[in-house]
Amino acid sequence: QTSPAAASLIVKYGFRPGTAGWCGGGIYFATSTGETYSKAIGPQSHKGAMLEAQVDVGRIKFMDRYCDRHFNGVNVASM
């Protein structure tokens, strides 16, 4: 989930990776509305709006709840 204001900005300008998150800065997606209450929640998380998207996830890296929070696009691309 995100805030209604952030959802409006995403619709207008597109997704941009965050600076913090469960496993580092990124863009997080959930496969159900219920998962938005318990997965990928961080100190900057907001609630109140959801956007529906079709996502080609490509290669998946599964992380446990103690994952490395320093991931970024460069780190992930090199995997």
Side-chain angles (χ1 to χ4, degrees):
Q1 293 189 40
T2 191
S3 69
S8 294
L9 292 172
I10 292 167
V11 169
K12 188 171 183 177
Y13 299 108
F15 287 100
R16 294 187 329 191
T19 57
W22 180 57
C23 286
I27 301 169
Y28 292 86
F29 293 93
T31 57
S32 72
T33 57
E35 288 178 342
T36 68
Y37 291 98
S38 61
K39 295 188 176 201
I41 302 298
Q44 297 176 347
S45 295
H46 301 282
K47 295 194 180 336
M50 286 187 255
L51 299 170
E52 184 174 4
Q54 289 185 329
V55 179
D56 179 359
V57 296
R59 294 179 10 218
I60 299 171
K61 170 86 173 148
F62 290 97
M63 307 289 276
D64 65 19
R65 66 185 196 163
Y66 301 108
C67 68
D68 182 351
R69 297 178 190 274
H70 296 95
F71 271 102
N72 59 38
V74 174
N75 298 6
V76 172
S78 68
M79 294 169 46

